[in-house]
């Protein structure tokens, strides 16, 4: 690679390993791609303790060749696995030492404010990746009436960045409606090696469906913001068996309510690949998804999807082609959609083939290349701004005042 094209990227993320979620996964894929192309990166992330204690244990000192700098954080009392990095001057000192070409804010909320402020002070372009519907998250946990305050905070934060990348067209439209400027679309990639129909396992299916049942699966956090309680409406569909992959604060309640379902707990790697590919129908219940990577992974594995007609799933699921959509709060419509697929194997087979087709061209390499183009565009804009500032300085303060008056 031409060394002149190398980019130094500082990623300030609200979540990182060992916490596994959509934000962490996206950051890891970006770091791997940057490393593969010879770019240089730094990660600044929440931790617990003086250096590298993460939310469930120590985090890595580096990832994909990039050093990790941890800052202090607090866990939410009602959701201990969700930690918030605290604003700190350490972000400024770490960025000043690293001297990045661009600052990348991953799902900025609290720690991201320090990243945005530091980028401004250093006159470094800053790109914010909007990834979490914080207002929806708060609403699901009973914090009603906080939406306007949250959106005020997010709008204020994103207005201090040079570009905000939205993961889906519905979210892009919502951000525009909320007054967030300088928007662009940037989706998410999918690992086609990990998620494809070849991972379908006859042995696993025999264990999960000993009577030849149609496997209906949910993959995700078992937490209020994902609305997993809606899965109880799938009880009693003839010939179907529910498989629930994931863990979280709702798990114990769901186990009591769904005694016939299979609960696998949290799974990653090959186990997750085989579980998803071995399903016949994938069902999602969350209505506040900005993208929904789990849906895209199911499609790549050749599994038809049933999802709410809201947010990110609207870009991923084409009704009648690779799945079915239901009104977000209508659990009866969700049940009917799942039942339609359970009772029609020919429809499932057709949609399974279309599901794989629908994610063609969405590999992480292509998606991360798009992100690097955003970095380069912003770097170029910054160079032009610096040149303009230099010319103004040469003309002197009098000329600047005259132009301002004009």
């Amino acid at each position: 690679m031409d060394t002149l094209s190398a980019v130094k990227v500082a990623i300030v993320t609200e979540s990182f390993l060992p916490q596994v979620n959509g934000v962490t996964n996206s950051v890891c894929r970006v770091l791997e791609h940057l490393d593969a192309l010879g770019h240089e990166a730094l990660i600044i992330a929440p931790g617990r303790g003086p250096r590298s204690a993460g939310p469930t244990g120590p985090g890595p000192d580096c990832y994909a060749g990039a050093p990790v700098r941890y800052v202090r954080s607090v866990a939410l009392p009602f959701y201990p696995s969700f930690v918030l990095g605290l604003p700190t001057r350490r972000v400024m000192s770490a960025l000043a030492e690293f001297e990045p070409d661009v600052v990348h804010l991953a799902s900025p909320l609290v720690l991201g404010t320090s990243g945005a402020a530091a980028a401004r002070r250093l006159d470094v372009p800053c790109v914010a990746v909007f990834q979490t519907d914080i207002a929806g998250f708060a609403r699901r946990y009973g914090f009603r009436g906080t939406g306007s305050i949250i959106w005020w905070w997010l709008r204020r934060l994103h207005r201090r960045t040079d570009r905000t990348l939205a993961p889906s067209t519905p979210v892009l439209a919502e951000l525009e409606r909320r007054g967030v400027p300088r928007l662009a679309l940037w989706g998410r990639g999918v690992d086609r090696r990990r998620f494809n129909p070849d991972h379908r396992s006859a042995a696993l299916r025999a264990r999960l469906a000993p009577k030849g049942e149609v496997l209906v699966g949910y993959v995700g956090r078992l937490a209020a913001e994902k609305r997993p309680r809606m899965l109880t409406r799938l009880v009693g569909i003839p010939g179907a068996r529910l498989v629930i992959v994931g863990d979280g604060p709702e798990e114990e309640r769901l186990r009591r309510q769904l005694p016939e379902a299979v609960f696998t707990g949290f799974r990653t790697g090959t186990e997750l690949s085989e579980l998803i590919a071995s399903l016949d129908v994938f069902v999602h219940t969350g209505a506040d998804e900005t993208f929904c990577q789990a849906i895209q992974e199911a499609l790549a594995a050749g599994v038809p999807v049933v999802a709410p007609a809201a947010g990110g799933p609207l870009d991923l699921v084409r009704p009648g082609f690779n799945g079915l959509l239901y009104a977000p709060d209508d659990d009866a419509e969700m049940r009917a959609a799942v039942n339609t697929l359970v009772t029609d194997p020919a429809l499932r087979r057709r949609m399974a083939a279309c599901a794989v087709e629908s994610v063609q061209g969405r590999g992480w390499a292509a998606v991360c290349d798009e992100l690097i183009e955003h970095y380069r565009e912003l770097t170029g804009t910054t160079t032009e701004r610096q040149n303009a500032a230099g010319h103004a300085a040469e003309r002197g303060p009098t000329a600047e005042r005259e132009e301002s008056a004009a």
Side-chain angles (χ1 to χ4, degrees), residues 239-294:
R241 190 172 197 197
L242 187 60
V243 179
I244 299 175
V245 183
D247 58 15
E250 297 281 313
E251 182 176 354
E252 185 176 343
R253 182 196 302 268
L254 286 170
R255 283 182 177 273
R256 292 195 303 266
Q257 295 174 328
L258 297 166
E260 301 301 318
V262 177
F263 286 81
T264 71
F266 180 76
R267 292 291 182 268
T268 59
T270 302
E271 285 185 302
L272 180 62
S273 300
E274 290 186 351
L275 277 165
I276 292 179
S278 297
L279 299 173
D280 298 301
V281 179
F282 185 95
V283 61
H284 192 73
T285 53
D288 302 307
E289 302 291 347
T290 60
F291 184 80
C292 197
Q293 183 70 333

Side-chain angles (χ1 to χ4, degrees), residues 81-130:
S81 64
F82 190 98
V83 296
L84 290 175
L86 301 177
T88 171
R89 294 179 181 176
R90 292 189 64 187
V91 175
M92 177 66 190
S93 61
L95 293 183
E97 179 183 353
F98 181 64
E99 298 182 337
D101 297 311
V102 62
V103 173
H104 171 142
L105 307 181
S107 195
L109 177 61
V110 180
L111 181 59
T113 60
S114 292
R120 277 199 161 196
R121 287 186 61 188
L122 295 170
D123 197 24
V124 174
C126 182
V127 57
V129 178
F130 188 92

